[in-house]
Amino acid sequence: RIGAAARTDLRQAELAGLASDSARTLQLSNASVDQDEENVNLLSFQHAYQGAARVMTAVDEMLDTLINRTGVVGR
């Protein structure tokens, strides 16, 4: 009886270890980063940044024209 009980306990411990490893693997696979989605996000952020930089350049040129090239006020 003792040998059978010990063998059963060992099998249960093995199964518990396998279940734990499987659960850990599933958790890591769900927590991983989707590379395709991240690349798409990176490209869209890059385009948005380029667009914002162009707007800032246009505003800078407008202000330069208004401030420096329209002449001195009061003369």
Side-chain angles (χ1 to χ4, degrees):
R1 289 185 193 180
I2 294 174
R7 202 173 351 186
T8 302
D9 289 342
L10 284 174
R11 295 261 185 211
Q12 287 178 350
E14 287 177 19
L15 289 175
L18 289 173
S20 173
D21 290 342
S22 176
R24 194 174 303 122
T25 302
L26 285 173
Q27 183 181 16
L28 288 174
S29 70
N30 287 336
S32 66
V33 176
D34 184 14
Q35 294 293 327
D36 293 334
E37 183 179 347
E38 291 299 320
N39 283 333
V40 168
N41 287 340
L42 182 64
L43 286 173
S44 65
F45 294 147
Q46 181 181 8
H47 287 288
Y49 180 82
Q50 287 174 343
R54 288 181 184 148
V55 168
M56 292 300 291
T57 302
V59 168
D60 183 49
E61 289 174 359
M62 275 190 334
L63 288 174
D64 182 53
T65 301
L66 286 173
I67 293 170
N68 296 324
R69 297 183 188 167
T70 55
V72 179
V73 176
R75 286 192 179 180

